Amino acid sequence: MMITSFSNPKIKAIRKLEERKARQETGLFFIEGLRTVGEAIQTGAPIETLVIAPQLLISTFGQSLLAHPAVQAVETITVSSEVFERIAHKDGPQGIGAIVRQQWHSLNAIPVSSTAVWVALDRIADPGNLGSIMRTADASGCQGIILLGACADPHDPTAVKASMGSIFSLKLVTSDWESFLKWRTGNQIALIGTSDMAPTDYQDITYPRPLVLLMGSERHGLPAEAVAACDALVRIPMQGRADSLNVSVATGIVLYEIYNQSKKLDTIEP
Amino acid sequence: MMITSFSNPKIKAIRKLEERKARQETGLFFIEGLRTVGEAIQTGAPIETLVIAPQLLISTFGQSLLAHPAVQAVETITVSSEVFERIAHKDGPQGIGAIVRQQWHSLNAIPVSSTAVWVALDRIADPGNLGSIMRTADASGCQGIILLGACADPHDPTAVKASMGSIFSLKLVTSDWESFLKWRTGNQIALIGTSDMAPTDYQDITYPRPLVLLMGSERHGLPAEAVAACDALVRIPMQGRADSLNVSVATGIVLYEIYNQSKKLDTIEP
């Protein structure tokens, strides 16, 4: 039966997931769009419910997603185009959404490979930046994101959208500083942070592996304890009147330096 | 006299500038915040009106801006904190804003130095991405931004905010493709574009000067005529499931490769 009412309890529950509090209480989040739902299905994310608006879901790719083995046993609800537009928060939605269980990983349960690169973020408050960082981390081969301090929620709709599905390819960890530092020491993981005040150009060091790249917020920079714990601090040079970069751009610039160095290593030592 | 009413004609005119149409008709835009207004004043931007909320403007830096020689002859209006919060669209505003005249440059009126780097953008629709690109272009020493096709307005409040004042350090140009290609041919300016399909890694070429780096939209890529006009096309390599990057991150990665190459050139040939 097609849901046509905005006050249907299932629709109200989905809309409630726009709030961080509701996501925390339920451990769920809502995603929509062919790209994002496609990534969730293809990576085997734990989908609890598929939400379909048949009149909007017209693409062949969309149809193929419904036929994917991974979702054959998943509860599916159908909604009217009007209801879907309301929960998708955009014009011209593609008629496919899903309620997905959040997957958080514990630092100590993660096998750390000798070549692993992680990104740790301290107090990154903007969900769009967090989503963009997830996207770049995925593209440059990182294992996951470690959230330290009060960060935006990676399951925020803006973060999910900006990640372009990469949220399903990365391991997500939230940790306090003490546990994080203990983990990286215990696993002999290099910790390199960025700072406007660092003496070293980000291109002038060799990034060891396994590695955590630590990025602070644009507003606060890295806390003193973090600076003290780093094996090295690097700076992105700037000219002109600018004295800082957007944190997702800065993260991309350093991650690609790390990625480029590793590609050259692969070439030298095949 | 302090303006306390939201329906004051000057306040209504400022709020109207949130709309692109009003900005186009008047040639003006509204900026707010210590950082952005500070950059406007310090770079000599054509400020038409300063807007001050005395109870909010409490910082020493804010006071020093009011004493700056560049604004002594500028019309100043004072508004209540409530009115300022409404026009600033944020909590905790710093009590300083300005109406500024837009400065657009004509391609043919620009002296092109032998070392110049420009960024040309085709159909970049998101003002946050445009603002972030302005910020990175400024930090990496670019001369300006050339907007081709239907792009976001660099004077959009979201773009201005994301540029962190860099909008006042860059030359802004809007052009059609034909004039742009004629200009770059006439001035012997290299044109290098990015494309997911390009065979060449962005690190595997030497970027000539003067140079225009051409970035297309994430959704559409570069139009065929643009691809045909480029001296070279480069690709940012990716692994994992990601098949693209956020356009402001991608622009930052290539701009920093260009910047790093130029720094090395400076070292070799002082």
Side-chain angles (χ1 to χ4, degrees):
Chain A
M1 214 181 69
M2 184 181 283
I3 296 172
T4 56
S5 162
F6 300 128
S7 56
N8 178 288
K10 286 183 179 173
I11 301 307
K12 284 167 85 172
I14 288 171
R15 298 201 61 190
K16 197 94 179 136
L17 293 176
E18 292 164 22
E19 298 164 23
R20 187 169 192 161
K21 189 161 168 281
R23 292 194 300 274
Q24 278 173 333
E25 283 167 2
T26 59
L28 302 172
F29 66 121
F30 179 70
I31 61 174
E32 67 81 32
L34 283 173
R35 166 78 185 225
T36 306
V37 177
E39 283 298 301
I41 292 174
Q42 290 166 354
T43 58
I47 296 174
E48 304 254 317
T49 307
L50 272 181
V51 183
I52 307 296
Q55 286 166 304
L56 299 173
L57 189 64
I58 49 180
S59 77
T60 320
F61 177 61
Q63 297 300 329
S64 77
L65 287 178
L66 296 186
H68 195 286
V71 293
Q72 293 317 304
V74 169
E75 177 199 31
T76 302
I77 60 176
T78 56
V79 306
S80 67
S81 303
E82 292 70 29
V83 166
F84 197 88
E85 271 164 26
R86 182 81 74 98
I87 58 176
H89 281 287
K90 66 179 180 190
D91 294 333
Q94 295 157 319
I96 189 165
I99 302 170
V100 186
R101 184 153 294 283
Q102 300 176 22
Q103 287 184 286
W104 289 98
H105 294 260
S106 161
L107 273 183
N108 293 318
I110 292 171
V112 179
S113 81
S114 60
T115 58
V117 179
W118 288 77
V119 178
L121 302 174
D122 179 63
R123 288 174 290 177
I124 302 299
D126 183 89
N129 281 338
L130 175 54
S132 177
I133 289 171
M134 289 194 276
R135 188 174 175 189
T136 314
D138 183 26
S140 62
C142 295
Q143 268 60 54
I145 307 278
I146 300 163
L147 302 171
L148 299 160
C151 283
D153 178 6
H155 304 97
D156 179 290
T158 302
V160 172
K161 188 177 169 218
S163 93
M164 291 289 279
S166 288
I167 189 172
F168 298 113
S169 302
L170 295 164
K171 290 192 167 61
L172 298 177
V173 173
T174 177
S175 174
D176 59 74
W177 274 99
E178 195 186 335
S179 311
F180 168 68
L181 293 176
K182 195 178 287 180
W183 170 76
R184 81 101 181 172
T185 306
N187 289 279
Q188 296 182 289
I189 301 168
L191 181 62
I192 295 188
T194 63
S195 163
D196 297 351
M197 264 87 81
T200 310
D201 189 303
Y202 78 104
Q203 287 211 310
D204 287 347
I205 67 163
T206 302
Y207 294 86
R209 307 291 184 94
L211 171 68
V212 173
L213 173 66
L214 174 61
M215 303 293 299
S217 81
E218 293 174 34
R219 181 169 301 194
H220 306 291
L222 289 173
E225 67 196 297
V227 168
C230 283
D231 296 307
L233 285 170
V234 296
R235 166 184 50 83
I236 301 176
M238 286 167 224
Q239 62 178 63
R241 294 187 57 84
D243 58 7
S244 69
L245 293 166
N246 170 283
V247 67
S248 72
V249 173
T251 306
I253 290 169
V254 183
L255 279 181
Y256 263 81
E257 174 62 21
I258 295 167
Y259 181 44
N260 290 327
Q261 285 192 6
S262 72
K263 284 197 303 165
K264 281 167 197 154
L265 280 180
D266 293 347
T267 314
I268 298 166
E269 304 165 317
Chain B
M1 214 181 73
M2 185 181 284
I3 297 172
T4 55
S5 163
F6 301 128
S7 56
N8 178 287
K10 287 183 179 173
I11 300 308
K12 284 166 86 173
I14 288 172
R15 296 201 61 190
K16 197 95 180 134
L17 293 176
E18 292 164 21
E19 298 165 20
R20 187 168 192 162
K21 189 161 169 282
R23 291 194 301 272
Q24 278 174 334
E25 282 167 1
T26 59
L28 302 172
F29 66 121
F30 179 70
I31 61 175
E32 67 81 31
L34 283 173
R35 165 79 184 224
T36 306
V37 177
E39 283 298 302
I41 291 173
Q42 290 166 354
T43 59
I47 296 174
E48 304 254 318
T49 306
L50 272 181
V51 183
I52 306 296
Q55 285 165 304
L56 298 173
L57 189 64
I58 48 180
S59 77
T60 320
F61 177 61
Q63 298 299 330
S64 77
L65 287 177
L66 295 186
H68 196 286
V71 294
Q72 292 318 303
V74 169
E75 177 199 31
T76 302
I77 60 177
T78 55
V79 305
S80 67
S81 303
E82 291 71 28
V83 166
F84 196 88
E85 272 164 24
R86 182 81 75 98
I87 59 176
H89 280 288
K90 66 179 180 189
D91 294 332
Q94 295 156 321
I96 188 165
I99 302 170
V100 186
R101 185 153 294 282
Q102 300 175 23
Q103 288 184 286
W104 289 98
H105 294 260
S106 161
L107 272 182
N108 294 316
I110 292 171
V112 179
S113 82
S114 60
T115 57
V117 178
W118 288 76
V119 179
L121 302 174
D122 178 63
R123 289 174 289 177
I124 301 299
D126 183 88
N129 281 338
L130 176 53
S132 176
I133 290 170
M134 289 194 277
R135 187 175 175 188
T136 314
D138 183 26
S140 61
C142 294
Q143 268 60 54
I145 307 278
I146 301 163
L147 303 171
L148 299 161
C151 283
D153 179 6
H155 304 97
D156 179 290
T158 302
V160 172
K161 187 177 170 218
S163 95
M164 292 289 278
S166 289
I167 189 171
F168 298 112
S169 303
L170 294 165
K171 291 192 166 60
L172 297 177
V173 174
T174 177
S175 174
D176 59 76
W177 274 98
E178 195 185 335
S179 311
F180 167 69
L181 293 176
K182 195 178 286 179
W183 170 77
R184 80 103 181 172
T185 306
N187 288 281
Q188 299 182 286
I189 301 167
L191 180 62
I192 295 187
T194 62
S195 162
D196 297 349
M197 265 87 79
T200 311
D201 189 302
Y202 78 103
Q203 286 211 312
D204 287 346
I205 68 164
T206 302
Y207 294 86
R209 307 291 185 93
L211 172 69
V212 173
L213 173 67
L214 174 60
M215 303 293 299
S217 80
E218 292 174 34
R219 182 170 299 194
H220 306 292
L222 289 173
E225 68 196 297
V227 168
C230 282
D231 296 308
L233 287 170
V234 296
R235 166 185 51 82
I236 301 176
M238 286 167 224
Q239 63 178 61
R241 293 187 58 84
D243 58 8
S244 69
L245 292 166
N246 171 284
V247 67
S248 72
V249 173
T251 306
I253 289 169
V254 183
L255 279 181
Y256 263 81
E257 173 63 20
I258 296 166
Y259 181 44
N260 290 326
Q261 286 192 6
S262 73
K263 283 197 304 164
K264 280 167 198 154
L265 280 179
D266 292 347
T267 313
I268 297 165
E269 304 164 318

